[in-house]
């Protein structure tokens, strides 16, 4: 990835995560895992598109399209093309993560990173009363096993935090992220 594109993506991630009050390192770890920063990437089945591998069938005109993958209509094709624009896709990723965090909190009372990522990854089954990696059993929420994909994203995020910690107070990026994380933690209480 060239440096100007990286700066553009960093600017979008910074602005969107600040607006949504979400951890920017989680977005970086997720995108690194999903697409390795390739904005035009489409999954093998054609469902997931772009940096955050957003499922197009849940956006705009693709929602009402009878065949959003095999034979998408004009409106759905426009949505799919837009999702391949890196900055637009990043905005949708942050919005989706933020919405899943709210959904997890509302449905289960928990909104930890693991829960949010499991919701984002499509691991909720409302008909079976399973939300965000938790299943309702005998009146209480029971934790389900965490898929390797979610573990890998969390591990990548931890690595990013450690790398930022190495530069400590010398790096502007470190100080900026630390301030934002402190504000996030205090606002959740």
């Amino acid at each position: 990835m060239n440096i100007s594109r990286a700066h553009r993506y960093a600017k979008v991630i910074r602005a969107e995560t600040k607006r949504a009050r979400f951890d920017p390192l989680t977005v970086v770890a997720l995108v690194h895992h999903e697409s390795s920063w390739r904005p035009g990437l489409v999954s093998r089945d054609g469902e997931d598109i772009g940096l955050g591998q957003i499922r197009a069938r849940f956006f705009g005109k693709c929602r009402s399209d009878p065949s959003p993958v095999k034979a998408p209509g004009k409106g759905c094709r426009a949505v799919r093309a837009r999702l391949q624009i890196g900055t637009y896709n990043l905005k949708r990723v942050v919005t989706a993560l933020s919405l899943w965090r709210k959904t997890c909190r509302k449905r289960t009372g928990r909104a930890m990173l693991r829960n949010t990522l499991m919701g984002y990854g499509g691991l909720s089954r409302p008909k079976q009363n399973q939300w965000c990696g938790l299943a309702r059993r005998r009146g209480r929420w029971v934790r389900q096993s965490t898929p390797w994909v979610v573990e890998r994203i969390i591990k990548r995020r931890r690595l990013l935090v450690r790398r930022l910690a190495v530069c400590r107070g010398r790096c502007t990026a470190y100080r900026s992220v630390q301030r934002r994380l402190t504000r996030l933690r205090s606002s959740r209480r």
Side-chain angles (χ1 to χ4, degrees), residues 31-160:
V31 170
H32 178 82
H33 172 77
E34 293 288 351
S35 67
S36 297
W37 297 97
R38 294 176 290 173
L41 188 68
V42 178
S43 64
R44 286 187 194 127
D45 62 4
E47 290 273 3
D48 308 316
I49 300 170
L51 292 173
Q53 291 294 282
I54 298 287
R55 191 149 283 208
R57 75 171 55 236
F58 299 120
F59 282 90
K61 300 278 185 184
C62 289
R63 281 184 167 178
S64 58
D65 196 310
S67 182
V69 178
K70 302 277 187 217
K74 184 179 179 182
C76 185
R77 281 195 308 270
V79 168
R80 292 174 65 84
R82 195 158 186 208
L83 284 171
Q84 289 184 333
I85 299 169
T87 54
Y88 179 77
N89 194 285
L90 285 171
K91 290 176 184 178
R92 300 290 68 81
V93 167
V94 174
T95 301
L97 284 168
S98 181
L99 288 172
W100 270 110
R101 182 178 59 192
K102 288 176 187 172
T103 301
C104 294
R105 187 175 291 130
K106 180 182 175 186
R107 296 284 180 176
T108 68
R110 300 178 194 168
M112 296 173 67
L113 177 59
R114 175 191 169 278
N115 304 112
T116 303
L117 289 173
M118 287 182 79
Y120 179 88
L123 299 170
S124 291
R125 306 282 183 266
K127 290 180 183 175
Q128 287 106 18
N129 208 10
Q130 296 175 0
W131 291 92
C132 308
L134 300 167
R136 190 81 171 169
R137 305 274 189 258
R138 297 185 187 142
R140 64 186 187 94
W141 290 105
V142 178
R143 183 177 171 166
Q144 296 175 303
S145 62
T146 307
W148 67 270
V149 173
V150 173
E151 291 292 345
R152 195 172 190 181
I153 294 168
I154 292 170
K155 194 174 185 180
R156 166 63 72 176
R157 186 193 167 280
R158 285 186 192 131
L159 175 69
L160 292 169

